[in-house]
């Protein structure tokens, strides 16, 4: 499945953390003969940062074909973005040296610059645009604010059953849909992007974004959200098991301060799993929860009896609004004077 990509990448990175810090930046690039070897190097980079070696490592990845599938490149783009962010004075030189890679792969550099969060990232994109002519559209869209960056990472709250009903009934067609703000939504690729940024910087920010995703690990209405949240939980535990600094971050009171109860509980489970080397339990629990949702359907469908209390009132209101607006094709049987509860239940039970 698509969501497993983040877990596989993060697991490779986590499992490589047994190596000593002295091996974080190998002297010979010939040591990096595979993408797995490069991932190994990336996972240890923050223990002995060597930004001057990063362009050559990125060019090695290009030679290995690592950038052929953009959906598998989140960790690389995130890592280079983090290195740029940690070395603002060297950013131009690092970018220039990295752009010596294959022209078809230079899109990764564009993405990394945009996600770096540097104050002058738009200037850098303009400055190097001539060297990346095939990605003019991509560069323009980032500069114009039409493509989201890590600075716009947002985790939307779990929609309520009423939200799902409202979407199904297309009530925005009646009351008007508010303008949508450009955001970077969580995904498997974005989870990899955050891990890459952390490996490039060792900073607190990307970890807190991953921690915020833990709320999704208890979402029983959406398999994709549940999978991403569960993978965030598992990868935090797997990496913290080998990374004392990361474990300390998760134990820091700031990690739980102001967080919902479900995230605080998840953090306790992660810390316990990391300290007792019981990460396999988290993986098994995640797979069981995902299989349950896939087999039984979303939780909101399994608790639809609550909607019988709405009776005629809520649906009748929708019918009245439709009549006033001249929009009668709501996909729900409207009866003069109201709609029956059984009609509501039947409609909701067939919601995808």
């Amino acid at each position: 499945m698509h969501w497993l990509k983040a877990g596989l990448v993060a697991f490779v990175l986590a499992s490589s953390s047994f190596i000593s810090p002295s091996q974080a930046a190998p002297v010979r690039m010939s040591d990096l003969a595979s993408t797995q070897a490069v991932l190994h190097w990336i996972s240890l980079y923050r223990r002995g940062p060597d930004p001057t070696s990063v362009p050559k490592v990125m060019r090695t990845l290009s030679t290995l074909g690592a950038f052929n599938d953009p959906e598998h490149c989140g960790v690389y783009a995130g890592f280079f973005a983090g290195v740029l962010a940690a070395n603002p004075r060297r950013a131009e030189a690092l970018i220039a040296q990295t752009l010596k890679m294959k022209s078809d792969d230079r899109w990764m550099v564009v993405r990394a610059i945009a996600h770096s969060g540097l104050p002058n990232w738009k200037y850098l994109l303009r400055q190097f645009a001539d060297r990346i002519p095939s990605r003019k559209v991509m560069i323009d869209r980032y500069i114009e604010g039409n493509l989201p960056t890590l600075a716009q990472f947002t985790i939307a709250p779990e929609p309520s059953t009423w939200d799902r009903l409202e979407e199904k009934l297309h009530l925005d067609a009646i009351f008007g849909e508010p303008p949508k703000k450009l955001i970077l939504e969580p995904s498997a690729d974005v989870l990899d992007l955050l891990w890459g940024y952390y490996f490039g910087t060792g900073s607190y920010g990307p970890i807190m974004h991953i921690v915020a995703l833990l709320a999704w690990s208890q979402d029983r209405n959406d398999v994709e959200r549940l999978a991403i949240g569960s993978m965030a939980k598992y990868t935090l535990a797997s990496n913290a098991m080998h990374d004392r600094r990361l474990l300390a971050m998760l134990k820091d009171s700031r990690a739980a301060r102001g967080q919902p109860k479900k995230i605080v509980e998840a953090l306790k489970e992660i810390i316990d799993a990391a300290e007792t080397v019981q990460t396999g339990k988290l993986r098994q629990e995640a797979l069981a929860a995902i299989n349950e949702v896939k087999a039984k359907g979303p939780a909101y469908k399994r608790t639809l009896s609550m909607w019988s209390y709405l009776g005629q009132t809520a649906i009748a209101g929708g019918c009245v609004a439709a009549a006033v607006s001249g929009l009668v094709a709501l996909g729900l049987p409207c009866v003069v004077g109201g709609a029956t509860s059984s009609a509501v239940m039947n409609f909701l039970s067939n919601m995808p």
Side-chain angles (χ1 to χ4, degrees):
M1 293 176 65
H2 172 73
W3 57 267
L4 279 172
K5 296 172 186 174
L8 293 175
V9 171
F11 179 76
V12 170
L13 294 170
S15 62
S16 68
S17 298
F18 287 113
I19 309 303
S20 65
S22 62
Q23 293 176 293
V27 176
R28 298 176 302 173
M29 288 299 116
S30 58
D31 292 344
L32 306 181
S34 67
T35 54
Q36 185 171 358
V38 176
L39 285 171
H40 176 112
W41 185 88
I42 286 174
S43 74
L44 298 171
Y45 174 84
R46 67 199 181 282
R47 299 184 182 181
D50 179 18
T52 59
S53 66
V54 171
K56 194 167 184 179
V57 173
M58 294 296 104
R59 297 198 302 269
T60 297
L61 283 169
S62 177
T63 301
L64 292 171
F67 305 135
N68 292 344
D69 184 354
E71 292 186 2
H72 287 77
C73 299
V75 69
Y76 305 129
F79 172 71
F80 191 45
V83 171
L84 293 177
N87 299 276
R89 294 183 180 180
R90 298 184 182 185
E92 290 189 33
L94 293 173
I95 294 167
Q97 294 167 23
T98 303
L99 284 174
K100 294 177 182 178
M101 66 171 59
K102 292 187 296 185
S103 59
D104 287 348
D105 293 340
R106 292 174 185 171
W107 63 267
M108 189 283 300
V109 179
V110 174
R111 182 172 292 179
I113 294 172
H115 288 308
S116 69
L118 287 169
N120 63 335
W121 69 268
K122 290 186 178 182
Y123 164 79
L124 291 171
L125 284 180
R126 292 190 184 97
Q127 182 178 355
F128 289 101
D130 290 344
R131 294 187 57 179
I132 322 173
S134 63
R135 298 302 169 193
K136 183 181 184 304
V137 172
M138 182 181 183
I139 292 172
D140 288 345
R141 289 189 179 178
Y142 271 125
I143 291 174
E144 294 166 2
N146 294 322
L147 280 178
T149 67
L150 268 180
Q152 295 161 301
F153 177 74
T154 303
I155 302 175
E158 181 182 358
S160 65
T161 307
W162 174 252
D163 291 332
R164 297 176 190 278
L165 175 63
E166 186 177 44
E167 180 180 357
K168 188 68 178 180
L169 293 176
H170 303 294
L171 295 185
D172 57 309
I174 300 173
F175 302 107
E177 184 177 6
K180 291 185 177 180
K181 181 181 179 181
L182 187 68
I183 63 173
L184 182 65
E185 297 181 347
S187 67
D189 184 59
V190 171
L191 181 56
D192 277 346
L193 187 72
L194 290 167
W195 274 117
Y197 200 99
Y198 169 70
F199 290 127
T201 62
S203 62
Y204 201 77
I207 295 303
M208 288 304 95
H209 281 323
I210 297 173
V211 166
L213 280 171
L214 293 177
W216 285 14
S217 66
Q218 296 184 34
D219 191 324
R220 296 302 186 268
N221 290 320
D222 189 308
V223 172
E224 187 75 13
R225 289 164 65 104
L226 173 60
I228 293 172
S230 298
M231 200 54 64
K233 185 176 181 179
Y234 176 68
T235 53
L236 279 170
S238 296
N239 282 289
M241 186 169 63
H242 310 303
D243 185 339
R244 292 183 179 276
R245 188 169 183 274
L246 173 58
L247 183 60
M249 285 184 183
L250 299 180
K251 288 182 174 181
D252 192 317
S253 61
R254 289 179 295 171
R257 187 180 302 157
Q259 297 282 14
K261 182 179 179 180
K262 60 177 65 176
I263 291 182
V264 176
E265 292 175 349
L267 277 172
K268 290 179 180 178
E269 292 179 39
I270 289 167
I271 293 169
D272 182 70
E275 291 188 319
T276 61
V277 195
Q278 296 290 322
T279 56
K281 180 182 178 182
L282 297 183
R283 177 171 51 81
Q284 293 169 1
E285 291 175 351
L287 291 175
I290 291 168
N291 288 331
E292 179 183 12
V293 174
K294 289 171 65 178
K296 298 182 179 180
Y300 74 86
K301 280 192 174 183
R302 304 199 298 270
T303 57
L304 282 176
S305 59
M306 60 175 281
W307 285 95
S308 62
Y309 294 103
L310 291 179
Q312 300 178 19
T313 307
I315 302 303
C319 294
V320 171
V324 172
S325 304
L327 301 173
V328 295
L330 280 175
L332 186 73
C334 289
V335 180
V336 175
T340 64
S341 296
S342 59
V344 179
M345 290 296 293
N346 180 65
F347 175 74
L348 290 171
S349 297
N350 288 304
M351 286 174 64

